[in-house]
Amino acid sequence: MSTEILVNIGQQETRVALVEGGAAQEVYIQRASRHGLVGNIYKGTVQRVLPGMQAAFIEIGLERTAFLHVADMMAVPAANGSSGEVETRVESHRQLPPIQTLLQEGQDVLVQVLKDPLGTKGARLTTLLSVPSRYLVLLPYEPHVGASARIEDDAERVRLKQVVAKVASELAPRFGVIARTAAEGVDEERLAADLRFLLRLWTAISEQARLAGPRSLVHGDLPLSMRILRDLLGTDVERVRIDNADEFKRVQQFARVFVPNAAARIELYEGAAPIFDLYGVEDDVDRALGRKVDLKSGGHLVIDQTEAMTTVDVNTGAFTGHRNLEETILKTNLEAAQAIARQLRLRNLGGIIVLDFIDMRNPDHRVQVLRALEKELKRDSARTHVYDFSPLGLVEMTRKRVRESLGHILCMPCPTCEGRGSIKTVETLCHDIVREVSRAARQFEARHFLVLAAPSVVQRLTEDASMGLAELEAALNRPIRLQAEAAYHPESFDVVPL
């Protein structure tokens, strides 16, 4: 199956699409307005040491000074990034040394952001630097080898530790290396290539730290267009197409230094059509924001994302099959399993996911559907776990959250329904208004009442005698005047006693 990466560069937004077999499978979006600082490395200057708090305020060139606690420190290396000194990590469970023995005002120190600034608080910092790649994390000052605790398979964690220890001893004996969750199942060759990339990157960071002035950024997280070379560009990717000449040159230069085997696969896209119109990616993104996903057979999926979980309902729709009902159900469910796996990647849905396939009586059919789903999910870079059919006929699964979902990035809650997905009907609102007028009549001595509401509500009250407004006027012996307000929320109304 052919695989391409399309990169669309905008004024304030970069979008990347991973296309497999002519269909978009994953979409990544980075906007200038939502770019955090976590992971950035700065050459900071100690502004103030606070012995009573065991902390220091560090000036790193931001609006507010950043905060560094002694628990997030080691014996501070020289700010030029030299890795030739012996470093010792201060463990939180040990007796922490006085902060003033580690830092002095005016001292330069290399720090990394742990938490973004929030409200009136500055960024939280650490001197325990770490540089991540797709599979590994390089620890320049901590000679420790390990594997992520999130890898649940004990045998796989042991294997990864052994492989990483071997690769690290050969390529980076003075550094620490941690295998990330994404390294699960990855072979030694790819881990070694990842570590070589990290070592080249750390050499560049160290040189930049040596040359940088105080209170300046030394290394920020890679731009999305370059991060894809680190995270997505495997041997199965045939080419990367970029629609901006300047960015193409920058990515090519980056690839020649850090990913040499990828440089030849990077191309400048100069087509007349927008790059995301290739393979219908733009249309796929738009459709991924809706609830309904049509299947080729005539069936469809309905996808609902909530705070607690995501649910996917499978329906036969117009598909009736050619032989019998069981055949129709099996074929629809098999097609749905493939579509579900793709939609989870495309929409980047994570956490708990509940799949409601069409009920199948034949146990073998259930096994076929589960196997089809698991097969499609193997191409997903995010870790997934699929459980068997429950007694209620539901399939529960989990997918690791690796970034915000497409819907959360591109959409906001509807200002009309406020995320409920529905609003009161006009008839319901009319009855609410009649009750509110009755309530107001008991509370206020008014000569008449003014009702302000959306035009559709006022029209219904005026034209439909069943709303009971005329009877209420007669019962109250006071007139009720209606006034349409085009700017009113469809559910909003006011009853004003006059």
Side-chain angles (χ1 to χ4, degrees):
M1 181 181 294
S2 62
T3 303
E4 292 186 33
I5 294 174
L6 308 180
V7 182
N8 169 229
I9 307 295
Q11 292 296 324
Q12 297 293 320
E13 179 185 68
T14 297
R15 302 186 301 169
V16 172
L18 178 66
V19 178
E20 294 177 353
Q25 302 294 331
E26 297 178 19
V27 174
Y28 300 76
I29 298 175
Q30 178 178 290
R31 289 173 172 168
S33 60
R34 301 181 61 165
H35 200 2
L37 304 176
V38 173
N40 285 2
I41 298 175
Y42 293 86
K43 189 173 187 178
T45 301
V46 181
Q47 185 187 69
R48 188 180 177 192
V49 178
L50 306 171
M53 294 177 62
Q54 279 285 68
F57 286 112
I58 311 294
E59 178 61 59
I60 59 175
L62 302 179
E63 183 179 349
R64 291 184 295 275
T65 53
F67 182 82
L68 174 63
H69 191 269
V70 70
D72 295 315
M73 290 189 62
M74 64 177 103
V76 182
N80 62 8
S82 169
S83 57
E85 301 176 23
V86 177
E87 314 299 346
T88 16
R89 175 172 179 167
V90 176
E91 300 289 351
S92 57
H93 62 274
R94 296 178 184 172
Q95 184 64 40
L96 299 174
I99 187 77
Q100 61 270 29
T101 64
L102 300 176
L103 295 175
Q104 292 81 41
E105 291 184 9
Q107 177 184 351
D108 288 343
V109 57
L110 206 59
V111 291
Q112 189 169 34
V113 176
L114 283 177
K115 292 182 180 179
D116 283 322
L118 181 63
T120 59
K121 296 182 179 179
R124 177 80 179 262
L125 304 177
T126 180
T127 57
L128 306 172
L129 306 187
S130 61
V131 185
S133 63
R134 185 177 186 183
Y135 302 122
L136 305 174
V137 177
L138 184 70
L139 308 176
Y141 304 127
E142 301 176 84
H144 170 73
V145 173
S148 169
R150 294 185 179 181
I151 298 175
E152 299 175 355
D153 189 328
D154 291 337
E156 176 60 12
R157 292 186 73 242
V158 170
R159 182 195 74 86
L160 274 176
K161 279 185 179 181
Q162 294 173 343
V163 174
V164 170
K166 179 178 181 236
V167 170
S169 66
E170 295 172 356
L171 301 177
R174 293 182 293 108
F175 293 87
V177 183
I178 302 293
R180 303 179 67 181
T181 309
E184 194 169 3
V186 175
D187 58 31
E188 180 179 334
E189 183 181 352
R190 283 190 289 172
L191 293 176
D194 215 38
L195 183 54
R196 291 189 189 96
F197 165 83
L198 282 172
L199 292 172
R200 290 192 293 269
L201 182 57
W202 175 246
T203 299
I205 292 172
S206 300
E207 180 62 15
Q208 180 63 26
R210 186 181 67 82
L211 300 174
R215 301 178 295 281
S216 63
L217 176 66
V218 170
H219 172 72
D221 195 12
L222 295 173
L224 180 59
S225 55
M226 298 178 187
R227 212 159 60 231
I228 59 164
L229 300 185
R230 180 189 75 190
D231 296 343
L232 299 181
L233 191 59
T235 54
D236 56 336
V237 175
E238 293 182 0
R239 58 180 172 176
V240 178
R241 294 202 258 187
I242 304 174
D243 65 358
N244 179 279
D246 292 336
E247 191 67 17
F248 166 72
K249 292 176 183 177
R250 284 190 288 268
V251 173
Q252 275 256 319
Q253 183 178 5
F254 174 85
R256 281 195 289 268
V257 175
F258 296 108
V259 198
N261 63 337
R265 288 180 276 167
I266 301 171
E267 302 176 5
L268 174 63
Y269 175 74
E270 298 179 292
I275 192 168
F276 264 35
D277 284 359
L278 299 179
Y279 309 110
V281 174
E282 202 73 71
D283 293 335
D284 282 337
V285 172
D286 288 339
R287 283 193 291 266
L289 302 178
R291 295 178 65 228
K292 186 177 178 182
V293 179
D294 291 323
L295 303 176
K296 292 180 180 179
S297 64
H300 64 269
L301 312 177
V302 177
I303 302 174
D304 287 306
Q305 185 180 4
T306 69
E307 290 294 324
M309 67 182 70
T310 297
T311 62
V312 183
D313 185 33
V314 183
N315 297 282
T316 53
F319 181 56
T320 57
H322 303 290
R323 295 184 184 175
N324 55 52
L325 181 61
E326 281 295 309
E327 177 205 67
T328 300
I329 291 174
L330 176 60
K331 183 171 182 180
T332 304
N333 281 341
L334 288 173
E335 186 183 356
Q338 184 177 6
I340 287 169
R342 179 182 176 230
Q343 289 297 321
L344 296 182
R345 294 175 68 189
L346 186 60
R347 297 168 185 242
N348 192 38
L349 299 173
I352 299 171
I353 302 164
V354 177
L355 312 178
D356 186 8
F357 288 101
I358 305 167
D359 288 340
M360 293 173 287
R361 296 178 182 177
N362 190 327
D364 290 340
H365 288 180
R366 289 189 173 195
V367 172
Q368 288 183 52
V369 170
L370 275 182
R371 296 296 172 266
L373 178 63
E374 290 168 347
K375 178 183 177 182
E376 294 298 324
L377 289 172
K378 285 182 179 179
R379 299 208 301 268
D380 194 343
S381 58
R383 184 161 53 92
T384 59
H385 189 90
V386 180
Y387 297 86
D388 204 349
F389 279 87
S390 75
L392 295 177
L394 303 175
V395 173
E396 298 173 5
M397 64 170 289
T398 59
R399 184 175 186 269
K400 180 177 170 57
R401 296 184 190 274
V402 290
R403 61 188 193 281
E404 282 189 287
S405 71
L406 197 62
H408 282 161
I409 294 173
L410 299 180
C411 301
M412 67 177 188
C414 169
T416 299
C417 71
E418 297 179 343
R420 300 199 312 268
S422 62
I423 61 174
K424 290 182 178 180
T425 66
V426 172
E427 182 180 3
T428 300
L429 289 164
C430 290
H431 288 300
D432 287 347
I433 289 171
V434 169
R435 283 191 293 270
E436 186 62 29
V437 172
S438 299
R439 187 179 297 112
R442 290 192 295 269
Q443 291 179 317
F444 303 102
E445 292 293 335
R447 289 177 297 175
H448 63 275
F449 296 93
L450 173 65
V451 175
L452 301 98
S456 58
V457 178
V458 170
Q459 183 179 354
R460 183 68 176 270
L461 284 168
T462 304
E463 297 176 351
D464 195 338
S466 66
M467 293 298 100
L469 198 63
E471 290 86 346
L472 181 60
E473 275 188 311
L476 297 176
N477 197 26
R478 281 175 278 183
I480 301 170
R481 186 159 60 90
L482 304 176
Q483 182 173 319
E485 293 289 342
Y488 265 41
H489 183 292
E491 290 185 333
S492 296
F493 64 85
D494 289 303
V495 175
V496 183
L498 297 172

